Amino acid sequence: MEKLPQVPLARQSIRAICNMCLGLFGVQIVWGLHNVNTSRIFQTFGADIDQLAFLWIAAPAAGLLVQPLIGYLSDRTWGRLGRRRPYMLIGALLSAAVLFAMPHMTSLWAASVMLWLLIAAINIVMEPFRALVADSLPEDQRTLGFAIQVFFIGTGAVFASALPWMLSHWFGVEAQAAAGQLPPAIRVAFYAGAVALLLSVAWTVFTTRESPPAPLSGVALEQASEGGMDPVDPRGWAIWGWGWLGAALLVALTAIFWLDDRELHVLAAIAAGYGVLVLLVVRYRLRGSALPPVLEIVEDVIRMPPVLRRLAVVQFFTWFGLFAIWVFTMPAVAARHFGTLDPASAAYALAADRVGLIFAQYNGVAALAALLLPSLAARIGRRLTYSACLLVGAGGLLGIVGFGDPTLLWLPTLGLGIAWAAVLSLPYAMLADALPAAKRGVYMGIHNIFLVLPQLVAASVLGVVVQTWFGGHTEFALILAAACMVVAAAVALTIPRPR
């Protein structure tokens, strides 16, 4: 049998690793602008509160579709800019164009279309960064590489959070506007985000070099594409296809007769679509026909390596909890520490300022904590480090609810920042060592699916859970998020070592 050639990767300097990660600073600024301003833009153009969650589905839905596709295409690309960098540059140009156009929309439907385009474009930029680190760094530097990515993500998030304040206080840009119009500060923030994205991504593209893929053929190419994956078993896969169709029907009936939730209809459509695609893969395989690209990606999902399969469970509980944090920290802090649920009250405004600080602080802590994770992981292992960080994050959530003095909330924020640093780095380091060399891009994109699905589930059920089970007490949503983190920490200890 032909033996797969082992081509060792050269160790990179810290400067080179920073160059290949810097673009994520601009990417995170765009995400920060989206997170802070999208609801305000929609409400400015007449969206009701109960419409916001449905309109926000653009972000996870675009991630479900775009990232695996870009990963699949970049695995098969090689040109003057290498394999991953062409997609970074194209995505940055598209994102910048949308950022310049979005503040000039004048209707809700136009703003919605722009949001979909922006999220699709920024996903084109973001996906190749994970695969670039996995491609370029040897195994003993990958944890450091992904940690440096988190550093730039954290600093970008802090900058995005502070940008509106800087524009209004340092540069005198007007933060108010007439009804139905966007304030000048939002327009300028979007322009600044577009420039920051272009500059930071261009820096990565033109200062980083990619090594061409090894010239493989025959059995060696098959080994590079199949290493660590489950065997082809189309007859067994048919059960999964019909199972997903049954699950879709169950979710749809729940949405119709019980919860009356639009997000559940989206989940049902996703489950049904995946079930149909699985059955199409079975049909093509039984006929012996070549799979089209979309079905090849679906087969990669079915046959994913054991490390990714176990990480999918960890990520479900982790990101379900994270979604609860992002949605319910604001009302929970207002109720627990400022004694109000009235968004128009002065106390609620003080709570909003405090939560803004919490979010900025945990991103800043994550940026710094990420730099310490590689040495800790080298001492006790990635799995134990990951599990410990998730437990610290759970403790931070309980501290937000348990602390009586709001001025002390910076203490539990430390726990959230440490957990966030681990969530954004360690899973990718574990994945990079477990994935087939020829499929790193597509599997990094598939991994994103397991970050998106729990958010869609959370968007569908958390509102009902808080109102029905918790009696409207949003503090219990943070306790539920802490419990999810504990479960994720336990499952993280069972992640198998790569084959």
Side-chain angles (χ1 to χ4, degrees):
M1 178 180 289
E2 183 180 351
K3 187 176 181 180
L4 180 64
Q6 299 297 317
V7 182
L9 293 170
R11 289 179 61 82
Q12 301 285 334
S13 67
I14 296 296
R15 178 178 179 180
I17 298 175
C18 289
N19 285 342
M20 71 177 67
C21 298
L22 179 66
L24 286 172
F25 175 80
V27 170
Q28 192 58 37
I29 290 174
V30 176
W31 281 115
L33 291 172
H34 157 64
N35 291 338
V36 171
N37 296 297
T38 295
S39 291
R40 183 176 184 178
I41 291 173
F42 285 154
Q43 288 180 288
T44 298
F45 296 138
D48 296 328
I49 292 294
D50 60 356
Q51 293 178 295
L52 292 179
F54 187 74
L55 292 170
W56 267 70
I57 283 181
L64 277 177
L65 299 172
V66 173
Q67 290 214 25
L69 181 60
I70 295 301
Y72 175 89
L73 293 174
S74 67
D75 283 339
R76 288 154 177 79
T77 296
W78 186 261
R80 293 182 61 186
L81 289 178
R83 174 183 290 175
R84 316 297 179 184
R85 291 175 295 153
Y87 296 93
M88 295 178 184
L89 188 58
I90 292 170
L93 292 171
L94 292 174
S95 300
V98 177
L99 282 169
F100 275 107
M102 191 169 179
H104 295 281
M105 298 300 102
T106 57
S107 65
L108 181 59
W109 74 266
S112 301
V113 170
M114 284 293 107
L115 174 65
W116 278 82
L117 292 175
L118 176 63
I119 299 306
I122 202 62
N123 271 287
I124 294 173
V125 186
M126 186 171 64
E127 198 283 332
F129 275 95
R130 305 296 191 184
L132 178 64
V133 166
D135 290 343
S136 306
L137 299 181
E139 180 180 347
D140 63 341
Q141 282 194 305
R142 284 174 183 158
T143 302
L144 174 62
F146 290 114
I148 290 176
Q149 284 193 343
V150 178
F151 173 79
F152 285 114
I153 290 171
T155 53
V158 173
F159 179 82
S161 299
L163 183 57
W165 185 91
M166 290 189 294
L167 288 173
S168 60
H169 287 78
W170 292 359
F171 301 102
V173 181
E174 182 60 49
Q176 302 293 325
Q181 298 182 5
L182 293 175
I186 289 184
R187 297 177 188 267
V188 175
F190 273 67
Y191 302 155
V195 173
L197 176 68
L198 287 174
L199 291 177
S200 60
V201 171
W203 183 277
T204 290
V205 168
F206 295 113
T207 62
T208 303
R209 294 292 177 265
E210 296 182 67
S211 300
L216 304 179
S217 61
V219 176
L221 180 59
E222 182 179 354
Q223 286 180 304
S225 300
E226 302 288 313
M229 296 174 64
D230 286 346
V232 175
D233 180 21
R235 297 187 185 277
W237 299 343
I239 299 174
W240 284 102
W242 289 111
W244 278 98
L245 288 175
L249 178 61
L250 180 62
V251 172
L253 292 175
T254 301
I256 293 171
F257 295 108
W258 182 32
L259 293 182
D260 190 23
D261 194 324
R262 286 178 292 186
E263 287 81 3
L264 278 180
H265 289 292
V266 174
L267 280 176
I270 292 172
Y274 180 67
V276 170
L277 291 173
V278 170
L279 294 177
L280 285 174
V281 169
V282 171
R283 184 173 183 180
Y284 269 80
R285 277 297 193 182
L286 292 177
R287 286 181 170 183
S289 304
L291 295 175
V294 172
L295 295 186
E296 189 173 341
I297 294 172
V298 173
E299 185 181 76
D300 289 336
V301 175
I302 300 170
R303 301 177 59 208
M304 58 188 169
V307 171
L308 180 52
R309 188 174 292 112
R310 193 63 53 84
L311 268 173
V313 180
V314 176
Q315 300 292 42
F316 179 86
F317 288 100
T318 300
W319 288 83
F320 188 97
L322 288 171
F323 191 89
I325 294 170
W326 296 329
V327 173
F328 292 108
T329 297
M330 178 65 252
V333 168
R336 173 72 178 86
H337 298 286
F338 293 87
T340 182
L341 292 175
D342 180 10
S345 66
Y348 201 92
L350 292 175
D353 290 341
R354 180 64 58 181
V355 171
L357 283 175
I358 288 173
F359 279 49
Q361 286 168 354
Y362 89 69
N363 278 287
V365 170
L368 298 176
L371 302 181
L372 303 177
L373 289 181
S375 59
L376 180 61
R379 288 176 177 269
I380 66 174
R382 291 167 177 164
R383 292 184 301 177
L384 186 55
T385 302
Y386 190 23
S387 178
C389 290
L390 291 174
L391 288 176
V392 170
L397 285 170
L398 295 177
I400 290 176
V401 177
F403 276 39
D405 186 351
T407 62
L408 296 178
L409 290 182
W410 64 270
L411 275 172
T413 300
L414 297 177
L416 287 182
I418 291 170
W420 187 231
V423 166
L424 292 181
S425 60
L426 292 176
Y428 297 97
M430 287 186 276
L431 270 180
D433 298 340
L435 299 178
K439 290 182 178 287
R440 284 198 183 112
V442 68
Y443 270 121
M444 288 293 182
I446 288 171
H447 175 253
N448 185 68
I449 293 174
F450 303 117
L451 280 54
V452 169
L453 288 178
Q455 296 180 66
L456 290 174
V457 173
S460 301
V461 304
L462 272 177
V464 175
V465 168
V466 169
Q467 290 298 327
T468 304
W469 294 2
F470 300 158
H473 293 284
T474 51
E475 308 97 297
F476 290 109
L478 298 189
I479 296 175
L480 175 62
C484 288
M485 291 286 191
V486 172
V487 175
V491 179
L493 294 174
T494 70
I495 296 172
R497 299 188 185 279
R499 292 177 185 174

